[in-house]
Structures are given as structure tokens and as C-alpha cells.
């Protein structure tokens, strides 16, 4: 294991940190991409040192500076890999604004890619030789120059003197993973991303002992970008990357990388932990030693304690400690990290009364109550202020009251690109009787025993007969009601009573769920499944489902970050798009 690198001065931009490590630790490992070129590949490692990374970044930055004026946007349409890291850091070093995206062809996200490019209006596009043909075809109409990272020789740095970027200038646009609304690019400054990287490193104990960041989250996603690129650059520690598709094909690959790197720090959503628990074989487990894992971040909303319990039970025999699971909360508007449970502390779990939660109060229930809502605490703020606010009166709420989560800190972005009105509403919120400048997250939560507990999204609330119902709570009941319902691939939402479903006027509740890949639709007793789902939701939530639609695997749309897109699912349902190939 590498020893700790020299301490870095307190820079405020990533290019300054990169040059520091290239000068003080030139031969140390920086970024490694583990490729899996064949279905049963154990991984081919390709590594850049800090010196080689700096050389590649300087060369590409020189080329980009020839193509675009300072402040222009650079769209990154690279596959996962070290070329993505080079492209991102080169855009920042050249004084340009990076736009982290993905190559054409990502299933279900072609329209979003087109929309983001139209909104960002990049002056140049960065990709790789492997993706050049499809990217050039996509950009042909816009006549935007396309540069392949791997075709720029390291010697192409030129004589240009490089100055540190302005910390207050926009470093990149992080487009939110919205569904039906137009793409919104959050302006993240150089100072924002450095501040958030430091906050995350401190929260997960990486400032006290060196870690290796291990990740498969896509680099166009806020958590993947900060945890796998920004944090390693700030701390001068190695980052090991793999492709999300390689994880989905064989989840044991991620676990092998965790085992291979002492004090590994990684992140994944709920479904990934459950996927590993169910899909990793005993033979694959036998070769794993996970006692060196430092922290495993779970940023799902909300985080379910059962996920952590199942993951630990599945891998406890491999030495996985019970206290490395770190439920966390964040959003793109705050760069990413806001609040985090610390490694080394027991998982904080809260059993809450379902009816009280629907009324806006987080009251304790018996832990063994089958009807209780089980939630995990997301720790305490990571170097920022977090308050729970009544979204209507804008009063600060007391502990145990549910309201909108508001945030203020050095990591909060400057606003939405090219949308001043929305920026003022979201980033310039003013609590009642207090100074303004707060970020309205749109997320609901409460504080219990000093822990932030996230309960859901304000816009996703289902209101029936004056009572609030959280869709993810209903979804949890549905997926537990029948084994043929595919876990974490379903959406519950409200529709008007006149939207083609039976019932009186007023909001009615619909569930669209994928069936499990292992069970063909023809083999499922669909009426029996629907009866089981309706009965479970009625018994637990007091709701009558107006419609239950069973669809093929992959039919429920997801956001670019992999979450179920409830709003888009609702829109497609109302359009009748789930008519063919479905069952009720």
C-alpha cells in the first residue's frame, strides 16, 4: 500500500491540486480504469500516474483553448474511463466550462442528451476514438468541432502559460437527472467542487487515514464525478474506476476491487447493494476479503435499513464490518454531498408511525411493528447548514416535524444555467424572519436524535382524501407483496380521477411495475399478483389502487442516475404508452 502523499496546500481549484501532485508525487498512481473486454474477464488495469495525467491534461487543455474562448462550454461525451477524467480536468484547466455527459446510445436517454446539448450550446465536444463516429454523427448538424482525447499527443502542450482558474468561476454544468421537465444545468464553481470534495473526505474519515476511491458510478453523475474524480485529486489518492455495465453484468467485479484495495471508499444506490446480496455466488464470495473496506456510501432517497442489513448478512463471513455502511443525502444543486453517517458508527434506524408521518409528524413506532415505516438516519451535515422548513410558511421546524430540507454552505452551486428566475426561487430562498441565501432542495425530511432523516420528494407526494402518502413507501409494500414484482423497478403515483381509471373525481393511485427477469409474463398468475398487491397496499396504507400495470423488464423509465423516473412513468401512463405488452 502506498504511503501517505505529501500534504497539499489549501487550493481552491482542481487544476492547482493536479499540478501540485504532479510535482510532489509524480510517479504515484492517480487513476486506474479496470476494463472488462470479455464476459468472463477478471479485468485489465490501465493506470495513469500524477505526472502522466498532468501531461495528458495539459496537452488536451492546449487544444481546447485553441477551439474555444474562456467560459465556453465543453461537452464530455466520453465512455467511462481515464479519458473522461482527462477531458474533465482539461476543460477546467483551459478556463472552459465542462458539461459531463455520455456518448450516444445510452438506452432510454437519447432525448435527454439531445436536450442537454441544445441547452448547453457547447463550443467543442470531447470524446474518444472508440465513440468518435457516433458522436460526430450526433454533432454534424450543429457543426461543433469534436476532439478525441486519445488522439492528442502528450507533446502538444505548446508554449501557453497556464494560470489558475478563478475559484468563483463556473467549472462545470451538472445537469440534473430530471424526467419530464426540461434539462436544468447547475452551475458548479471551482470553489464549490473543491469544498464539497473536502467535506466528503472529512465526513467519511478519509482526511484522518488515506483511502482509495473505488467506483463504478457513471462520471456524468454528480456522486460519481465528485467521489471518483474530485476527491482523489484534492487528496492525492488513487481512484479505481470500472464501467457501470461491467458491474451490472457481474456485480462481484466491484467487490473484488473493494477487496483488492485497503481502505476502499465507494458508493452505490440501494438497488446495487440488494443486487450484490442476491446475485453474488458462494464461489465468488469465497475469494473475497472485505475487512479492509473503509466506507460504503448509500445515497438513495430514502435509505432503507433493510438494504444495509441484507448486504452485511450476505458478506459478513468475508469480513465486512457492520459499521461501514454510510447512509447519506445530497443533490446536484449542492454539488452532491450534504449529510452523511460516519463510518465506524452503528447504523441509525428509525421505526416511524405511518399515519403520523402522513400528517407531517415523525413519531416513533415499535421496531417490530410490521406497519411502521423503517428509515435510516443520514447522519449530520458535512460542513454546511441544514434546516427543515415548512414549505408554505417558511418557518424553521422543530425536531420530529416533517418539512422541506433547506441547505446553505460553500458547496451550494451558483444557480441554474440560463435560468435566472428558477435560480432565484431555488437558490435564494429566505426563511421567515431570517436572512436569505438558502437552497430549497425539494426533498422532505426531519431531524431525529440529531440525525437527518429523508422521507421523500415534495413533488412526488400522493395526496388522497387530504392524507399524504410517500410513493417509495407504497412501492416497498408492492414489491414485498409478490415475488414476481421486480425490486426497485416500479413506480407509484397519483392521477386525476377522470384519467381513464375507475373511481370518483380526485386523485387516484396507480402502480406500474416490472416483472422479474427470471419469470416470464406468461408464467405469472397476473390476476393473483394484482389481488396480492391491492390487498397489501389496502392493509398497510389504507389505499385502494385504481390500477396495477405489470410491464416487461426495462419498461419503467429511469433517470440518468438510475433512479425510477416517477414523473415520466406517470406521463407515459396517461398517454397510454403502457398499453402493449402489459398485463393488469
Amino acid at each position: 500500500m502506498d504511503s501517505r502523499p505529501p500534504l497539499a496546500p489549501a487550493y481552491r481549484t482542481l487544476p492547482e491540486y493536479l499540478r501540485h501532485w504532479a510535482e510532489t508525487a509524480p510517479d504515484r498512481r492517480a487513476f486506474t480504469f479496470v476494463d472488462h473486454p470479455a464476459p468472463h474477464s477478471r479485468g485489465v488495469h490501465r493506470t495513469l500516474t500524477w505526472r502522466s495525467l498532468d501531461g495528458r491534461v495539459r496537452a488536451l487543455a492546449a487544444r481546447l483553448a485553441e477551439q474555444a474562448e474562456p467560459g465556453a462550454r465543453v461537452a464530455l461525451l466520453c465512455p467511462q474511463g481515464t479519458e473522461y477524467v482527462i477531458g474533465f480536468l482539461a476543460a477546467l484547466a483551459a478556463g472552459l466550462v465542462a458539461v459531463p455527459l455520455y456518448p450516444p446510445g445510452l438506452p432510454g436517454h437519447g432525448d435527454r442528451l439531445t436536450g442537454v446539448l441544445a441547452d448547453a450550446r457547447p463550443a467543442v465536444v470531447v470524446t474518444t476514438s472508440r465513440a468518435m463516429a457516433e458522436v460526430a454523427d450526433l454533432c454534424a448538424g450543429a457543426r461543433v468541432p469534436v476532439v478525441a482525447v486519445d488522439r492528442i499527443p502528450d507533446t502538444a502542450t505548446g508554449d501557453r502559460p497556464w494560470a489558475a482558474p478563478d475559484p468563483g468561476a463556473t467549472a462545470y454544468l451538472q445537469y440534473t437527472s430530471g424526467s419530464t421537465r426540461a434539462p436544468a444545468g447547475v452551475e458548479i464553481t471551482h470553489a464549490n467542487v473543491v469544498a464539497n470534495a473536502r467535506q466528503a473526505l472529512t465526513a467519511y474519515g478519509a482526511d484522518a487515514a488515506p483511502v482509495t476511491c473505488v467506483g463504478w458510478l457513471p462520471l456524468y453523475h454528480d456522486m460519481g464525478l465528485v467521489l471518483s474524480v474530485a476527491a482523489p485529486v484534492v487528496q492525492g489518492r488513487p481512484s479505481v474506476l470500472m464501467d457501470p455495465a461491467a458491474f451490472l453484468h457481474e456485480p462481484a467485479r466491484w467487490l473484488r476491487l473493494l477487496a483488492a484495495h485497503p481502505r476502499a471508499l465507494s458508493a452505490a444506490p440501494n438497488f446495487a447493494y440488494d443486487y450484490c446480496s442476491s446475485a453474488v455466488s458462494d464461489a465468488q464470495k469465497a475469494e473475497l476479503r472485505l475487512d479492509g473496506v473503509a466506507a460504503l456510501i448509500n445515497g438513495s432517497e430514502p435509505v432503507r435499513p433493510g438494504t444495509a442489513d441484507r448486504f452485511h448478512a450476505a458478506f459478513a463471513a468475508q469480513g465486512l464490518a457492520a459499521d461501514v455502511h454510510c447512509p447519506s443525502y445530497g443533490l446536484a444543486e449542492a454539488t452532491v454531498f450534504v449529510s452523511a453517517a460516519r463510518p465506524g458508527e452503528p447504523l441509525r434506524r428509525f421505526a416511524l408511525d405511518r399515519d403520523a408521518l402522513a400528517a407531517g409528524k415523525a413519531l416513533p413506532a415499535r421496531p417490530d411493528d410490521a406497519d411502521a415505516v423503517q428509515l435510516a438516519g443520514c447522519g449530520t451535515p458535512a460542513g454546511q447548514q441544514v434546516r427543515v422548513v415548512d414549505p408554505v410558511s417558511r418557518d424553521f421546524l422543530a425536531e420530529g416535524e416533517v418539512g422541506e430540507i433547506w441547505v446553505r454552505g460553500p458547496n451550494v452551486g451558483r444557480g441554474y444555467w440560463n435560468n435566472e428566475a428558477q435560480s432565484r426561487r431555488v437558490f435564494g430562498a429566505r426563511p421567515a424572519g431570517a436572512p436569505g441565501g438558502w437552497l430549497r432542495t425539494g426533498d422532505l425530511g426531519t431531524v431525529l436524535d440529531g440525525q437527518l432523516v429523508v422521507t421523500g420528494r415534495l413533488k412526488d407526494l400522493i395526496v388522497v382524501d387530504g392524507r399524504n402518502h410517500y410513493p417509495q413507501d407504497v412501492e416497498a409494500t408492492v414489491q414485498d407483496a409478490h415475488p414476481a414484482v421486480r425490486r426497485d423497478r416500479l413506480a407509484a403515483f397519483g392521477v386525476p380521477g377522470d384519467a381513464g381509471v375507475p373511481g370518483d373525481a380526485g386523485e387516484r393511485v396507480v402502480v406500474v411495475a416490472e416483472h422479474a427477469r427470471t419469470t416470464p409474463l406468461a408464467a405469472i398468475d397476473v390476476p393473483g399478483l394484482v389481488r396480492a398487491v391491492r390487498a397489501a397496499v389496502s392493509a398497510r396504507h389504507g389505499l385502494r389502487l385504481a390500477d396495477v400495470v405489470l410491464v416487461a423488464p426495462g419498461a419503467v423509465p429511469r433517470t440518468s442516475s438510475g433512479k425510477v423516473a416517477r414523473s415520466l412513468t406517470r406521463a407515459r401512463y396517461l398517454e397510454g404508452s403502457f398499453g402493449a405488452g402489459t398485463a393488469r
Side-chain angles (χ1 to χ4, degrees), residues 216-259:
W216 56 265
L217 293 179
L219 298 183
Y220 59 79
H221 182 242
D222 48 11
M223 188 179 290
L225 188 64
V226 172
L227 194 67
S228 289
V229 180
V233 170
V234 167
Q235 200 190 38
R237 297 303 308 174
S239 178
V240 180
L241 303 165
M242 63 180 286
D243 194 289
F247 164 76
L248 293 172
H249 179 80
E250 188 180 316
R253 290 167 168 167
W254 175 45
L255 302 179
R256 290 189 196 113
L257 292 181
L258 293 177

Side-chain angles (χ1 to χ4, degrees), residues 105-124:
L106 185 67
H109 297 292
D111 290 344
R112 178 180 183 273
L113 180 60
T114 302
V116 169
L117 290 173
D119 186 68
R121 302 189 304 275
V124 61

Side-chain angles (χ1 to χ4, degrees), residues 48 136 143 253 273 403 413 425 493 559 565:
L48 290 173
R143 297 184 179 179
R253 290 167 168 167
Y273 293 106
R425 189 188 75 80
F493 48 86
T559 68

